[in-house]
């Protein structure tokens, strides 16, 4: 442990990331370039999120790490261990107990508080990238608020599928100015982004940091005749009975039987702990 | 001369990584919640600069950032202290990434970088030393603020003009003693009624 600086990164790198975070907060939704460092984990393991967390954590923080809503995946466990070792922080699986939450692809179901910070791991920060591969062009488009192509793409969805098919990384407009990629969260989570906590986004490979301050206006792009819908599977959780949480469909046996369970494992566990019972849990009881 | 040097070497962060993490949390929270007043400490800058401003500079400045010292805070002692603890170069106002001073000495604001259309982040951050900070005076609204907030800003029109430049513009920290508050360019400022 003593071979590492606090939270692994050297101080000069942290200062550079911290300056980028401050500018990101000052211009919500704008992607601030930063010089991403090699981390002792491969890209795709959230090196952008890890660097933002490393620059943000204090020794008194309690860190939670989730991967698609779950605390116990290899990715989440190793990031948690990394910060236990290099920053000496406490870790938790309980959303309520956490002061900093690093996430890949979900926003917790529990309402986040003003004293919490949510750090997103972002694979592709540029929402216009699939329309325009050139960075110089996308920068120009953002500077001129040229977001017409984005609407055309969504509208093509409607003409082909009868609805907007994009269900992850659904683009949002932040404070009526920048179109932003919310990272590959399900669009069910988009409305939660108007929250009390500070939201920070880190993309390691693409070297971008962006931010959404608390209570910032975050609007999912849509059309008057096709309003945005925060959809989820039309079921209740089979374990805890929740009707308001995002669900994963899981195959449970060789016969191909399925069940729906909360993707947010802490939310599901705390509901069951409070005595809520879902369809399959009832069968077990009976 | 000997005395100047001994002052310069003292007053840095004790256990820099941890002190800087605490100071940054205060700075980030202030910038994310315009109007909130936070405690920021750890540095002991030479006379003439607040603990808050000194702690901010040690947290954010290094050889990559150019610092402008306004005439009211500029001194050989402060230059020596900043050089020793941050290695940051000094620059005229128009080239500065960070500018430090009292409000009068920092104005006019149009001498500072406001970023470019494609890189609005390439703008100056001003650290304004204040006699005191309180949640009174002009009404703030915008990102980071639930409904409205109040902060004892040193002016009204300059900040309204700066907000008009959004997404370009300057971002401000206000420091007094060991307190810090912030006003990013995204905040709308109205006169109190
Ligand atoms: Zn459940």
């Amino acid at each position: 442990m003593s071979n590492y600086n606090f939270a692994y990164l050297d101080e000069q790198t942290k200062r550079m990331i911290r300056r980028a975070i401050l500018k990101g907060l000052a211009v919500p939704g704008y992607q601030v370039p930063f010089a991403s460092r090699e981390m002792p984990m491969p890209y795709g393991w959230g090196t952008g999120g890890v660097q933002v967390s490393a620059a943000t954590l204090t020794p008194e923080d309690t860190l939670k790490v989730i991967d698609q809503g779950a605390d116990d995946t290899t990715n989440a466990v190793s990031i948690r261990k990394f910060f236990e070792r290099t920053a000496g922080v406490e870790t938790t699986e309980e959303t309520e107990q956490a002061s900093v939450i690093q996430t890949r692809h979900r926003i917790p179901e529990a309402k986040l508080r003003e004293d919490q910070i949510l750090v997103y791991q972002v694979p592709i920060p540029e929402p216009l990238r699939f329309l325009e591969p050139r960075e110089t062009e996308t920068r120009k488009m953002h500077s001129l608020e040229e977001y017409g192509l984005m609407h055309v793409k969504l509208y093509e969805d409607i003409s082909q599928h009868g609805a907007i098919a994009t269900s992850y990384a659904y683009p949002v407009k932040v404070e009526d100015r920048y179109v932003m990629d919310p990272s590959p969260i399900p669009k069910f989570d988009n409305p939660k982004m108007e929250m009390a906590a500070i939201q920070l986004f880190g993309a390691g490979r693409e070297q971008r940091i962006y931010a959404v301050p608390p209570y910032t206006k975050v609007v999912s792009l849509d059309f008057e005749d096709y309003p945005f819908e925060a959809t989820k599977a039309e079921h209740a959780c089979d374990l805890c009975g929740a009707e308001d949480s995002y669900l994963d469909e899981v195959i449970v046996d060789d016969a191909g039987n399925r069940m729906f369970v909360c993707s947010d494992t802490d939310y599901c566990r705390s509901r069951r702990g409070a005595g809520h019972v879902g369809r399959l849990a009832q069968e077990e009881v009976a | 001369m000997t005395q100047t040097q001994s002052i310069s070497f003292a007053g840095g962060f004790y256990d820099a990584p941890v002190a800087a993490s605490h100071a940054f949390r205060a700075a980030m929270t202030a910038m994310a919640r315009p109007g909130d007043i936070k405690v920021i400490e750890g540095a002991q800058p030479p006379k003439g600069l607040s603990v808050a401003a000194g702690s901010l500079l040690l947290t954010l400045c290094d050889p990559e950032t150019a610092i402008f010292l306004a005439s009211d805070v500029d001194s050989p002692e402060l230059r020596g202290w900043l050089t020793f603890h941050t290695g940051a170069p000094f620059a005229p106002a128009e080239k500065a990434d960070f500018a430090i001073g009292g409000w009068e000495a920092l104005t006019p604001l149009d001498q500072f970088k406001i970023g470019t259309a494609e890189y609005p982040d390439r703008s100056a951050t001003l650290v304004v030393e204040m006699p005191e900070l309180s949640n009174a005076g002009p009404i703030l609204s915008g990102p980071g603020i639930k409904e409205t907030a109040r902060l004892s800003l040193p002016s009204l029109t300059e900040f309204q003009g700066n907000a008009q430049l959004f997404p370009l513009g300057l971002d401000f920290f206000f420091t007094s003693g060991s307190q810090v508050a912030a006003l990013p360019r995204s905040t709308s400022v109205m006169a109190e009624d």
Side-chain angles (χ1 to χ4, degrees):
Chain A
M1 175 173 172
S2 55
N3 292 333
Y4 297 116
N5 192 14
F6 171 72
Y8 186 79
L9 291 175
D10 63 274
E11 289 305 292
Q12 184 153 3
T13 299
K14 278 191 240 165
R15 279 191 294 272
M16 180 257 307
I17 293 171
R18 286 168 176 161
R19 293 193 295 262
I21 290 173
L22 293 178
K23 287 299 175 191
L25 285 165
V27 190
Y30 163 75
Q31 301 163 51
V32 185
F34 81 110
S36 183
R37 292 292 187 264
E38 289 291 330
M39 297 300 287
M41 55 194 75
Y43 286 123
W45 280 58
T47 56
V50 168
Q51 290 177 82
V52 168
S53 292
T56 302
L57 282 170
T58 69
E60 293 76 25
D61 275 311
T62 301
L63 176 71
K64 171 183 165 81
V65 182
I66 47 171
D67 182 3
Q68 313 237 21
D71 299 84
D72 56 0
T73 68
T74 316
N75 188 320
V77 171
S78 39
I79 292 173
R80 216 157 49 224
K81 286 215 173 106
F82 175 76
F83 283 119
E84 279 172 2
R85 199 161 303 159
T86 61
V89 294
E90 297 281 321
T91 57
T92 184
E93 296 193 2
E94 291 174 45
T95 303
E96 277 228 335
Q97 300 298 323
S99 54
V100 176
I101 303 171
Q102 183 174 324
T103 180
R104 175 175 176 271
H105 303 187
R106 273 313 309 278
I107 296 176
E109 303 291 356
K111 225 176 186 178
L112 297 187
R113 300 183 308 262
E114 289 203 347
D115 60 346
Q116 294 178 308
I117 298 166
L118 183 59
V119 178
Y120 295 75
Q121 300 172 203
V122 183
I124 302 167
E126 179 49 76
L128 306 169
R129 183 62 70 232
F130 62 94
L131 299 167
E132 170 55 64
R134 287 167 298 178
E135 169 70 16
T136 48
E137 290 304 307
T138 53
R139 261 195 191 269
K140 207 171 288 169
M141 289 161 77
H142 282 294
S143 76
L144 299 169
E145 289 185 78
E146 246 181 50
Y147 297 129
L149 271 179
M150 197 82 206
H151 279 95
V152 170
K153 152 79 173 82
L154 291 172
Y155 212 86
E156 277 170 4
D157 264 16
I158 295 171
S159 53
Q160 279 176 22
H161 310 287
I164 296 174
T166 305
S167 53
Y168 292 89
Y170 190 104
V172 294
K173 197 167 207 183
V174 180
E175 204 64 25
D176 299 317
R177 179 57 183 81
Y178 285 96
V179 167
M180 183 187 96
D181 184 320
S183 86
I185 56 173
K187 67 178 178 180
F188 173 81
D189 282 343
N190 276 22
K192 295 182 195 158
M193 298 186 83
E194 290 189 347
M195 65 167 69
I198 296 171
Q199 297 171 82
L200 305 175
F201 299 77
R205 189 174 33 211
E206 305 245 350
Q207 314 202 75
R208 295 288 181 275
I209 285 170
Y210 50 104
V212 176
Y215 311 114
T216 297
K217 190 173 165 194
V218 180
V219 177
S220 303
L221 301 183
D222 66 355
F223 303 92
E224 247 172 56
D225 41 346
Y226 289 93
F228 172 81
E229 272 185 286
T231 49
K232 66 185 249 320
E234 300 256 340
H235 289 268
C237 171
D238 284 325
L239 295 181
C240 78
E243 295 180 359
D244 58 354
S245 71
Y246 191 73
L247 302 171
D248 286 335
E249 194 175 3
V250 188
I251 297 171
V252 288
D253 56 27
D254 292 344
N257 283 316
R258 286 152 197 275
M259 65 188 267
F260 288 93
V261 294
C262 295
S263 109
D264 182 336
T265 51
D266 174 59
Y267 185 71
C268 199
R269 188 173 44 231
S270 62
R271 276 183 55 84
R272 278 178 279 146
H276 295 280
V277 180
R279 182 179 63 93
L280 290 177
Q282 270 167 350
E283 284 172 16
E284 272 170 37
V285 172
Chain B
M1 195 64 211
T2 334
Q3 201 192 353
T4 304
Q5 278 179 359
S6 66
I7 291 168
S8 300
F9 297 156
F13 281 145
Y14 172 77
D15 191 0
V18 169
S21 79
H22 289 144
F24 177 67
R25 179 64 60 86
M28 178 178 83
T29 308
M31 191 57 83
R33 303 179 189 284
D36 269 24
I37 299 171
K38 297 283 161 197
V39 169
I40 182 168
E41 48 198 5
Q44 290 295 332
K47 204 162 170 272
L49 196 72
S50 67
V51 165
S55 302
L56 261 181
L57 297 178
L58 294 205
T59 303
L60 298 172
C61 297
D62 57 30
E64 316 259 297
T65 55
I67 296 180
F68 169 74
L69 295 177
S71 56
D72 62 336
V73 297
D74 198 354
S75 71
E77 289 76 19
L78 183 55
R79 284 183 178 241
W81 186 77
L82 286 170
T83 301
F84 181 74
H85 292 289
T86 71
F90 297 100
E94 63 272 19
K95 292 208 168 123
D97 300 302
F98 290 87
I100 299 90
W103 177 248
E104 294 296 326
L106 284 171
T107 47
L109 296 185
D110 64 7
Q111 58 186 326
F112 297 104
K113 293 190 294 190
I114 57 167
T116 66
E118 286 165 26
Y119 294 95
D121 55 305
R122 294 179 183 172
S123 60
T125 301
L126 272 57
V127 179
V128 186
E129 289 271 58
M130 305 272 288
E132 59 177 353
L133 285 176
S134 70
N135 290 120
I139 301 164
L140 319 182
S141 61
I145 302 167
K146 194 169 186 185
E147 279 152 15
T148 57
R150 281 167 178 266
L151 187 63
S152 49
L153 298 175
S155 161
L156 193 61
T157 48
E158 273 94 344
F159 297 110
Q160 290 173 328
N162 183 59
Q164 294 280 313
L165 300 171
F166 187 89
L168 307 191
L170 307 170
D171 307 309
F172 300 86
F173 283 109
F174 303 98
T175 48
S176 180
S178 57
Q179 292 186 316
V180 64
L183 189 83
R185 64 193 86 173
S186 59
T187 304
S188 302
V189 182
M190 282 193 316
E192 58 186 318
D193 31 43

